[in-house]
Structures are given as structure tokens and as C-alpha cells.
Amino acid sequence: MLADPMRRFPLRLKIAGFAAGLILLATGLVALFTVILPWRAKLKAQEQIASSLVKTALPLGIDLRADGAHFDAARVHALVANSSRVQGVEIVYALLWDDKGHLDPNVSSVNLTLLQRVSEPLATLYVKDRNQTLEALAHGPRQRGIRRLPIKLVGADEHATIGRLDLGLSTIVIDAELRRSLIRDAFVLVVTLFFAVWSALWIARRIAQPLTDLSAAMGRVREGDFEITAGPNTRTNDEIGDLARSFDEMALGLKERERLRGTLGRYVSGDVAERILSEDDDLSLRGEVRHVAVLFLDVRGFTTISEKLTPSEVVALLNEYFDVVVDRVAAHGGTVNKFIGDAAMCIWGAPRHAEQGERSAVLCALEIQARAAQLSTERKRRGFTTVGFGIGINAGEAVAGNLGAAKRLEYTVIGDAVNLAQRLESQARAGEVLVSQRVYEKVASEVEALPRDPVKLKGKSKPVPLWEIRRVKVAATEAA
């Protein structure tokens, strides 16, 4: 399974890791300059002292003859035995090779005391078999605690090699000092690293926790909770505090936007409000030809009723009945485009496309009439005034878009299909739903309808056939 490239890595761990890395780097540099480099310098100084001893003492013990160079074994032994007297150098052994590259065991020397400190097995072997020990030191693997220093021996003519001297320098003291320094630095590193990581985690938590709280608040905002504000621990006097204050301003702005959206949705339909708010240009909802189904409804006998009621009672009456209209139109995917006094205009197909606008409008109209009848029954039982709706429905091509001036716009639909729907509504009595021939053909298989005599309507040269929709067929109801 592939690793998630977006795997979350907490900020506090990043800060702690960064701090730990800096501590490790700093400790490593300190160890390099205060331990490693001085250790190497001491080894180099040891080599220089040993080389000086050889150059001072050994030439006096070299006898150049016709058959080659002969070395004074006593001087070599003295060099090895007395090297400890010189501060900073201890020679464990001195191995001499002649000019032909042969090891000379007679002249070679070993400081048994130093060898025993370096390697107990080699010291034991030296007591039993000196020559074998010399071979082991000359050709065996490098011994821990011994640093081999090869020195080329030359005669009077510096270009003539008369042999080679291998010194085994003891590094026990230097290595012990190195180990002590490393142990000390390691202890300091562990303690410092512990406190550094702990401090970094603590500081990171102080930094990351407000960000975590802000992230959680962001999630609440994403879910629609615009009452949320940044927590008190985020109101610091730094960049995080600035971020928290900006978050509060953003939440307040979103809350205000939602309030405006809700307010706008009460004056125009939700679909139109969404469309308006989603447009970059307030005037971009220009006219477009859409196929729409238009439903007009009007309160019958409203003038007479309004004469008997106070203005507040009239408003309460209309609002109660119009609640039914808004609820049913929204349930069937339509848009309440406008209220015109005691009338309402509802649309299917603008601004949102409707697949079966005619069917939705007819079913919505029947439900409005049924709910309005129920409401009237309840109001009559309580002794209140009741009203009834006349509804007309037509469908066809219409122009949908913003209508008005730059300072006052209204989203609506205009066209002959809209006018005919209004004319049909004027022919409907209370409780009736009248539709045009085009609408009836779309729903004929689902509803029970009665034909009405064609009517001569304003703006039409010929009488217009009408259909009164009575109810939904039983089979269609069961299928639904």
C-alpha cells in the first residue's frame, strides 16, 4: 500500500525535531572542535616527538659497512625502554628492517610493561616466543591502543635507504582521555537534548495549541456555525493573535452574509438568491430564453374581504395562506417569483432548470388547493375569515432575467406564455385549477380533467381551450 503523501505531521513535533536537530548539530560541532581535533593533534604531536627521538638517538647506533648497515641493538633497546621518560610519548616496540626488507629480530625491541598494558595475550606470547611476537606485531592486524609509525632510515646520501624502523606508539593515555571527554560530552548531550526537546515541545504546544483551536473553529465555520469565535488562548499579542482577530472578523462577515442571504431569501426565492450571490457582476443575470411552466394564483373575493378586516388582519390572513403556497412550491422544485398583492406568480424552469415543469406545477396546484381547503376548514372552526385560490397554469418559451434599472432590479420572466397563465388564472373560480392545452397534454395520463369551453382571452385572436384539473388519477397516485 502506498503511503499517504498528505499524512499529517503535527507542528509541535516539527518544532521539537528542529530543536533536537540544532542541539545535535551544535553538540557535534563542539565535540569536533573540543575533542576530536585536539585528540588528533595529540596523536600528531606524539608522532613528532617519537620521530625527534629517533632522529636524535638512533643515528649514533648505525654502523655503515661494506656489507650494509649494522644497528646497535643496545641503543634501540634504550630508545624503547626510556621513551616513557619523555612526556607525551610511550614506545611499545621498535621493529627494524634492513635495506633488503628483512625484519631483524636481534635489533628489534619490545617494552614488555607497555605491551602488557596494551595487550595481555601478546605480552604472554612475547614471554614464550619473542620472534613470533615480533612477527605478529610486524605483519598482524593493527592492535588496539597502538599507533604504528613507520620511519624510513637513510644514510649519508639521503637518497640511499638503509632500512626502515616501525615504532608502535601507545595511545592508551590519549584514548582514555578521549573516552572521558566523549562520555562527558555524551552525558551533556543527553541532558541538554532532553531539556531542549522538552522545552521545544512545551513551546511548540504553546504555539500549536492556538492554531489547533483555530483549525477546530474553522471546521465549525465550515459546518455552518458562524457564532463561533476564537478561543481566549489565541488572543495573544503576536501573529497568532492577529490570525485569531482576523478569524473573528471573517466569522462575523460570514454571519452577516448568511443574514443577508436569509433576508434576501425572504424577498426573492432561494434559487434566485443563490444565483444572485454566486454572480460576480450584479447585472450579469441578463435575459435568456427558457422553457418555463408558470403558475398564477389569486385570492377570490379579496376586495370584499379586505373591507371587513383591519389591515393587520388582512396581512395575517394572506400570510397564513401564502405559507401554504411557499411550502408546496418549494416542495415541488418551483420558485415563488413574486407576490402581487393577493396574487402570486410561481415558476418552474428559471433560474433553475426543471425536467418536468408542467407536471410539477399541476401537482403543486392540486396540493395548494387541498391544503388551502384544510386551512379554511380549521379557520372556519375557529371563527376566522377564509379565502379560496383560483389557479391558472401555462407553459412555453419566456425570457428570464433581471428586469428594471441599474438601481432597482427584479428577476422575473416575461412573454406570451406568462401572460396566458395570468389570463387563465383570471378565469378560475375559487378552488379551481385551469391549465392550457399544452400543459394538459403533458399531464393527461396522470390527472382527471374536464374540458372547458374555449374562452376568448385578451391578446388572443382565437378562443383558447381550457382544462380544469380535478384530481390525480388513482393509478398515478399509487405509482408516485
Side-chain angles (χ1 to χ4, degrees), residues 295 328 332-334 348 354 356-365 443:
L295 181 153
R328 290 298 86 202
H332 286 273
W348 280 261
Q356 296 179 311
E358 295 87 347
R359 178 178 182 274
S360 298
V362 170
L363 296 180
C364 177
V443 297

Side-chain angles (χ1 to χ4, degrees), residues 44-59:
K44 191 69 176 178
Q46 187 186 53
E47 292 180 357
Q48 292 175 352
I49 294 173
S51 298
S52 298
L53 288 177
V54 171
K55 292 178 180 179
T56 301
L58 197 59

Side-chain angles (χ1 to χ4, degrees), residues 394-395 397 415-424 436 438 454-466:
N394 185 40
E397 301 295 326
D416 183 64
V418 180
N419 296 334
L420 181 55
Q422 196 276 331
R423 304 286 187 271
L424 294 178
S436 64
R438 174 180 290 185
V455 178
K456 183 67 171 66
L457 299 177
K458 181 181 178 181
K460 295 294 181 181
S461 59
K462 296 180 181 180
V464 177
L466 306 178

Side-chain angles (χ1 to χ4, degrees), residues 79-317:
L79 174 66
V80 174
N82 298 325
S83 63
S84 300
R85 297 178 182 178
V86 180
Q87 185 177 3
V89 61
E90 291 180 335
I91 300 177
V92 180
Y93 63 81
L95 305 179
L96 272 164
W97 276 265
D98 58 21
D99 57 349
K100 298 181 177 58
H102 299 134
L103 177 63
D104 189 347
N106 296 321
V107 181
S108 299
S109 179
V110 173
N111 189 323
L112 184 58
T113 303
L114 295 179
L115 181 63
Q116 193 169 14
R117 287 165 52 187
V118 172
S119 175
E120 187 69 33
L122 280 178
T124 304
L125 179 63
Y126 182 78
V127 173
K128 295 179 179 179
D129 190 338
R130 180 176 180 276
N131 290 339
Q132 186 177 352
T133 304
L134 294 177
E135 289 292 332
L137 292 173
H139 303 291
R142 179 180 178 274
Q143 296 294 322
R144 184 177 180 181
I146 299 179
R147 181 177 178 83
R148 183 175 295 175
L149 175 62
I151 300 175
K152 184 171 67 173
L153 302 177
V154 296
D157 182 3
E158 294 185 358
H159 297 288
T161 301
I162 61 175
R164 188 179 89 244
L165 174 65
D166 279 1
L167 296 181
L169 305 179
S170 173
T171 61
I172 291 179
V173 176
I174 299 176
D175 290 345
E177 184 179 350
L178 173 66
R179 283 193 297 272
R180 288 193 299 271
S181 299
L182 290 178
I183 292 173
R184 178 198 61 203
D185 290 353
F187 176 77
V188 173
L189 170 62
V190 170
V191 174
T192 306
L193 193 60
F194 171 78
F195 282 106
V197 172
W198 182 84
S199 301
L201 286 173
W202 183 79
I203 295 174
R205 186 178 183 278
R206 295 293 300 271
I207 296 174
Q209 190 59 46
L211 297 179
T212 302
D213 294 343
L214 282 175
S215 178
M218 283 286 187
R220 295 278 296 277
V221 170
R222 187 167 55 248
E223 294 172 359
D225 181 7
F226 302 119
E227 299 293 335
I228 190 70
T229 58
N233 64 327
T234 63
R235 303 181 186 282
T236 53
N237 190 24
D238 53 18
E239 289 81 357
I240 294 178
D242 295 339
L243 180 61
R245 287 183 284 274
S246 298
F247 170 82
D248 288 343
E249 293 175 2
M250 179 199 70
L252 183 62
L254 291 174
K255 180 181 177 181
E256 180 65 16
R257 187 175 186 272
E258 284 302 304
R259 189 189 69 80
L260 292 176
R261 183 196 298 270
T263 303
L264 182 62
R266 290 184 176 93
Y267 288 90
V268 298
S269 71
D271 292 337
V272 175
E274 290 289 341
R275 179 75 182 273
I276 292 173
L277 292 174
S278 65
E279 294 292 340
D280 295 332
D281 184 0
D282 295 337
L283 302 178
S284 64
L285 295 178
R286 304 187 185 281
E288 54 182 348
V289 178
R290 305 290 291 266
H291 179 83
V292 295
V294 184
L295 181 153
F296 271 91
L297 60 84
D298 188 27
V299 175
R300 293 297 173 244
F302 177 73
T303 303
T304 303
I305 295 172
S306 63
E307 291 176 351
K308 301 177 182 178
L309 302 176
T310 64
S312 60
E313 290 174 334
V314 171
V315 172
L317 171 67

Side-chain angles (χ1 to χ4, degrees), residues 34-44 147 171 174-175 178:
T34 62
V35 178
I36 305 299
L37 294 182
W39 171 70
R40 294 177 64 87
K42 289 179 181 179
L43 294 179
K44 191 69 176 178
R147 181 177 178 83
T171 61
I174 299 176
D175 290 345
L178 173 66

